Amino acid sequence: MKFANYLLIMIGLLLTNCNSQNQTMTEKEFTKAYLRTTTKKNPKIKYEIEKELVLKSFFKEKEYTHFLDNAFAEYNLEPDSLEEVLNRYINSSLSLYQEAQPINVNRIVPIIKPQEYLDEVKMMTKVNAANEYLIYERYNEELIIVFAEDTDLNIRYFSKDEFLKLNIQKDTLLDFSIKNLTDSLPEIERHGDNITYMITAGGDYEASLILMDNIWTKDNFPVNGDFVIGIPNRDLLLVTGSNETTEINRLKEVLRNSYETGNHQVSPHLFIRKGDRFAKYK
């Protein structure tokens, strides 16, 4: 797909959202629809609305928080997909209430998340520190790497206690998980011209491709200057060169729009590759 075509698609989605606001559910209506559906599917779990796009649930003396932002954003992109979106997100959330199964070490993968995700975890799980519930490490000033198990139903994050049972050294986990991701991804594809590329790899782990050092070569991405990337959402990776000043300014607007309207947000900022990592583009 040409990058120009991608821009047209983005603009089309934005216009569709603007033109259909009166026809789609509001945040309040979507929250109520989610509550009705999940209560019907899971009658043993008590749910209540805390506020728009936030549900509380209670099960076996534990309290959980469900943020519906990603589901609502996905519904807004495709309003006809309401039933499918609700069922998929609700089914994915059921792992919270099931007895934890042993982690398959060969399916542990690295997930790129924004720094702010740590605060969300504290709110969702009522823990004092995110590292009680997550295994993660910092990537740069804006991003973290969270380790999770890619299961058939969802991406399952695991706790420190679960990780300790695996007998894996923390300092080897990143390389180990990158290998797992490399082995499990479909073919990585490059779309675009010699100015800006869009990279696709199945739809869930495009942002995590920044961790694969072996792909960041000028043979793969013949850009003008250092690699400059945007990862506004987990399924969108854009690449250009640091000498493409006009294109970089255009990308900033694309990233902002995608970040604000898309789901599974990562960052509205650009990053530039320095050494073996990407740093925030100044």
Side-chain angles (χ1 to χ4, degrees), residues 115-137:
Q115 169 75 24
E116 295 78 16
Y117 182 68
L118 299 179
D119 294 328
E120 293 180 17
V121 169
K122 294 177 187 179
M123 293 178 61
M124 285 190 294
T125 59
K126 302 298 181 183
V127 297
N128 294 322
N131 60 9
E132 295 177 25
Y133 187 79
L134 292 177
I135 300 296
Y136 73 94
E137 62 181 66

Side-chain angles (χ1 to χ4, degrees), residues 95-214:
S95 62
L96 284 172
Y97 312 107
Q98 297 170 351
E99 185 175 346
Q101 299 297 313
I103 297 168
N104 183 342
V105 296
N106 294 317
R107 300 191 72 170
I108 295 176
V109 292
I111 314 292
I112 294 293
K113 292 278 191 181
Q115 169 75 24
E116 295 78 16
Y117 182 68
L118 299 179
D119 294 328
E120 293 180 17
V121 169
K122 294 177 187 179
M123 293 178 61
M124 285 190 294
T125 59
K126 302 298 181 183
V127 297
N128 294 322
N131 60 9
E132 295 177 25
Y133 187 79
L134 292 177
I135 300 296
Y136 73 94
E137 62 181 66
R138 299 191 184 278
Y139 180 76
N140 61 25
E141 61 184 294
E142 294 283 333
L143 307 173
I144 60 174
I145 307 167
V146 182
F147 299 99
E149 181 187 12
D150 184 355
T151 74
D152 293 334
L153 292 177
N154 58 11
I155 296 173
R156 174 195 169 200
Y157 300 97
F158 47 84
S159 68
K160 180 179 179 180
D161 289 341
E162 290 177 290
F163 174 71
L164 291 176
K165 296 175 183 178
L166 300 179
N167 197 28
I168 298 175
Q169 296 299 314
K170 178 73 180 296
D171 58 2
T172 68
L173 185 56
L174 180 56
D175 289 341
F176 181 80
S177 65
I178 291 174
K179 182 182 183 304
N180 285 345
L181 182 61
T182 302
D183 292 342
S184 63
L185 280 180
E187 183 179 359
I188 300 173
E189 297 183 345
R190 183 186 75 191
H191 311 268
D193 49 31
N194 291 329
I195 298 177
T196 298
Y197 301 101
M198 181 174 67
I199 315 305
T200 59
D204 289 324
Y205 296 108
E206 276 74 3
S208 295
L209 296 180
I210 69 173
L211 302 172
M212 295 182 177
D213 291 339
N214 62 311

Side-chain angles (χ1 to χ4, degrees), residues 204-255:
D204 289 324
Y205 296 108
E206 276 74 3
S208 295
L209 296 180
I210 69 173
L211 302 172
M212 295 182 177
D213 291 339
N214 62 311
I215 74 171
W216 294 104
T217 69
K218 286 296 182 72
D219 287 337
N220 288 332
F221 311 115
V223 298
N224 184 9
D226 295 327
F227 297 116
V228 174
I229 65 161
I231 42 175
N233 313 93
R234 77 179 186 188
D235 61 352
L236 181 57
L237 170 59
L238 302 172
V239 185
T240 192
S242 58
N243 295 331
E244 302 287 358
T245 305
T246 301
E247 187 68 6
I248 284 174
N249 289 332
R250 183 168 62 164
L251 272 181
K252 289 178 180 179
E253 181 66 14
V254 173
L255 296 180

